[in-house]
Amino acid sequence: THMLHKIALPTLLLGLASSANADFMGDIDPVDAFDWLNAGENVVLIDVRTPEEWRWVGHAGPNGLANDEDPNIAYDNGAGLEVGVNVFNISSQIANVKLDAKRPATIYYADPKALGPNPNFGADVLENFDPSQDALILICRSGSRATAAAKKLADDYGFDTWSVTKGFEGSANDSTGYRDENGWRNEDL
């Protein structure tokens, strides 16, 4: 079990706290979250996206992704972050899948746009973290799943939680349609 000590919040985050009790503390900017994770404080980042998103799109910390400006930058990104130490993937939602009876070796999504709740999410978090000691920053693709999961962990289990603003991929750009504005990845973190 990964246990952390109760943290002394950076000055930036003190204004977000709504009470001295465990609570959803609100959004945190990706750069501020990155700095906090690298400041030697006892805080962890939980990526609530699916394992497929984690592997195919990338994740916080060094993961082999490159960008158009500098193909080597990915290997410099995520300095101080380490999967299984201060970055974890615990999915809050999972894809609804079923077997194709005509092609039994093929698994397909019942609804490719639908994710259902992960019934083990709370138990998985409690197995690894202690609400009386651990502060959690959550991230997803664009922010909505992380916010919902952060509120659930605060309300149901008593964790202090934050959600990374605009998530890992950021917002869709109105002119390009791509998620190339803001967010963790677009800050080259």
Side-chain angles (χ1 to χ4, degrees):
T1 303
H2 186 283
M3 297 293 176
L4 299 174
H5 303 302
K6 195 69 172 178
I7 59 166
L9 298 176
T11 304
L12 166 74
L13 298 174
L14 285 174
L16 296 174
S18 59
S19 72
N21 298 328
D23 201 359
F24 172 61
M25 303 298 190
D27 290 338
I28 182 170
D29 178 81
V31 174
D32 293 333
F34 180 82
D35 289 345
W36 191 18
L37 287 160
N38 281 298
E41 302 277 342
N42 291 317
V43 61
V44 296
L45 181 74
I46 297 178
D47 190 329
V48 300
R49 295 175 300 153
T50 65
E52 293 81 10
E53 289 173 288
W54 174 268
R55 286 190 305 271
W56 298 338
V57 178
H59 54 80
N63 59 52
L65 293 176
N67 67 31
D68 294 336
E69 295 170 16
D70 182 352
N72 297 313
I73 197 167
Y75 301 100
D76 297 328
N77 290 352
L81 301 184
E82 188 175 341
V83 173
V85 174
N86 58 1
V87 177
F88 297 84
N89 177 220
I90 304 175
S91 301
S92 64
Q93 296 182 345
I94 53 177
N96 293 318
V97 298
K98 64 181 181 178
L99 291 175
D100 183 339
K102 295 178 184 175
R103 294 177 287 177
T106 304
I107 295 177
Y108 69 96
Y109 295 106
D111 178 351
K113 294 183 180 180
L115 293 174
N118 175 359
N120 299 318
F121 177 66
D124 290 346
V125 172
L126 285 173
E127 183 179 318
N128 292 284
F129 307 102
D130 181 342
S132 69
Q133 298 180 18
D134 301 331
L136 310 175
I137 299 173
L138 280 72
I139 191 169
C140 65
R141 182 189 71 183
S142 58
S144 59
R145 278 180 283 171
T147 297
K151 287 178 179 178
K152 180 174 183 55
L153 292 175
D155 293 346
D156 294 354
Y157 302 101
F159 283 98
D160 285 333
T161 60
W162 290 259
S163 176
V164 174
T165 305
K166 304 300 181 188
F168 184 79
E169 293 186 57
S171 301
N173 183 323
D174 288 338
S175 58
T176 67
Y178 293 105
R179 292 185 177 278
D180 58 5
E181 295 184 332
N182 54 49
W184 191 277
R185 182 177 62 185
N186 295 313
E187 293 288 347
D188 289 328
L189 302 173

